[in-house]
Amino acid sequence: SDTLYLKVRAGIIGDDRIAVFLRDMSEQRRFEAMRRDFVTNVSHELKTPAGAIALLAETVGDAADDPDAVRYFAGRIAKESTRLTELVHRLIDLQKAQGSGAAVAVRPLGLREVARRAIAENQVQADASHITLQLSVDGRSLPLVAPEPGAAPEPDAVVMADGESIVTAVKNLIENAIHYSPEHTTVRVAIAHAPAKAGREPKVTLRVVDQGIGIPRESLGRIFERFYRVDPARSRQTGGTGLGLSIVKHCVEDCGGTVAVWSRPQEGSTFTIELSAAGENDAR
Ligand code: ADP
């Protein structure tokens, strides 16, 4: 990957003179290689469940007179097709996040309700895994559902960002936190105004903190890559496409923010999204 690819053109321009033009093609080569990898990965990821479904369907046919076996194989087929559907949805999300760039509508956005939407989308899964979800803003814990209108005002942190992008990002982080945590643990969504620093514009952070299996140190640098999974065998069993975090990264970066991870195996992981706070002058 460190090889330099040069396009060379030379021509005689005089009796004793030759002109040589060098063009650095490395960037383009890298880009093409990445695109090739991506297509290979996508076809592989699509072929695996598709192949499994074909095989299972055949087996169901053979086992037609054994109701238990039919039920078992039908269940496996359903699981594989869910996986296929999930993958297609993820690819669409990724496409949206990558393609948008300048197209995202960055405007003042209250993170409290963003977090509530992302939490609501994961509530069923959390309940099924006996995982408690929590929400806080600047250290004050808040109910997961917005209170009735007219109730006491709640704290919020307003950032400059695109609502859909950030909901997608936070939703994916919570989904992972639940997925990679044992039962009876807690997943916290903590929103906070970052401490003011001289010469730096005000920032807001949103953290998703879990008490899950954690991520080995040597994988930390790679988890935001498309299709990277710490344990491909495990994720194949439990679902997961290796696309979630690359979608998170794109969504957050499209809004001018950053996403970072802290993790220790057996202790848990913390994903931190940082965005610019909306200033007084940003029209609400
Ligand atoms: P996947 O669909 O496999 O979850 P992601 O892109 O969302 O793909 O995550 C990439 C990999 O990072 C996962 O396969 C998993 O190994 C690891 N990972 C992501 N989030 C967590 C977490 N909260 N705790 C432990 N491991 C995680």
Side-chain angles (χ1 to χ4, degrees):
S1 65
D2 292 333
T3 318
L4 186 64
Y5 290 96
L6 295 174
K7 195 175 204 168
V8 185
R9 280 173 61 197
I12 300 171
I13 57 169
D15 287 345
D16 53 359
R17 288 194 303 166
I18 294 174
V20 179
F21 299 94
L22 299 178
R23 203 163 133 213
D24 180 0
M25 305 296 286
S26 314
E27 190 60 27
Q28 196 181 335
R29 290 283 292 242
R30 260 196 294 279
F31 182 74
E32 277 164 15
M34 257 169 62
R35 217 185 36 194
R36 262 199 311 273
D37 280 358
F38 183 66
V39 173
T40 312
N41 278 326
V42 170
S43 7
H44 175 77
E45 295 295 323
L46 290 174
K47 267 197 228 151
T48 310
I53 290 171
L55 203 68
L56 288 163
E58 218 171 89
T59 321
V60 154
D62 294 343
D65 45 4
D66 180 350
D68 282 344
V70 169
R71 252 194 301 279
Y72 170 75
F73 288 117
R76 297 257 326 257
I77 290 176
K79 212 170 136 191
E80 293 294 337
S81 42
T82 307
R83 188 171 159 66
L84 210 49
T85 313
E86 186 196 320
L87 190 65
V88 171
H89 281 302
R90 291 283 169 125
L91 284 169
I92 293 168
D93 275 353
L94 185 64
Q95 182 67 26
K96 272 197 230 154
Q98 275 178 330
S100 50
V104 298
V106 171
R107 54 169 74 95
L109 174 74
L111 283 187
R112 185 188 66 223
E113 296 313 316
V114 163
R116 280 188 169 138
R117 269 179 63 192
I119 287 172
E121 301 233 18
N122 281 291
Q123 193 64 61
V124 172
Q125 208 47 47
D127 291 345
S129 311
H130 305 286
I131 285 175
T132 310
L133 299 176
Q134 292 178 349
L135 171 66
S136 71
V137 175
D138 286 331
R140 200 176 121 190
S141 96
L142 297 175
L144 300 183
V145 181
E148 297 290 313
E154 297 179 309
D156 198 0
V158 184
V159 295
M160 292 304 289
D162 168 64
E164 281 316 306
S165 302
I166 301 304
V167 169
T168 303
V170 178
K171 203 177 75 185
N172 277 317
L173 289 180
I174 299 174
E175 193 180 319
N176 277 350
I178 295 169
H179 196 143
Y180 297 103
S181 292
E183 295 196 335
H184 305 290
T185 56
T186 299
V187 171
R188 288 194 297 127
V189 181
I191 298 163
H193 290 87
K197 273 192 204 145
R200 188 173 180 259
E201 57 170 335
K203 301 281 187 184
V204 168
T205 58
L206 182 152
R207 296 199 154 84
V208 176
V209 186
D210 69 48
Q211 303 167 323
I213 61 171
I215 300 161
R217 200 188 172 84
E218 63 274 16
S219 297
L220 279 179
R222 301 203 54 195
I223 52 172
F224 291 99
E225 287 172 23
R226 292 179 300 201
F227 293 113
Y228 183 82
R229 285 173 291 207
V230 173
D231 182 353
R234 182 181 190 274
S235 9
R236 193 145 298 137
Q237 262 178 7
T238 60
T241 56
L243 290 177
L245 288 179
S246 57
I247 293 168
V248 171
K249 189 166 159 31
H250 276 291
C251 286
V252 173
E253 289 180 352
D254 275 351
C255 301
T258 59
V259 53
V261 57
W262 173 94
S263 187
R264 208 169 274 161
Q266 314 310 327
E267 268 180 51
S269 308
T270 297
F271 285 84
T272 305
I273 293 175
E274 189 180 70
L275 292 159
S276 295
E280 308 250 308
N281 297 327
D282 297 313
R284 292 278 170 100

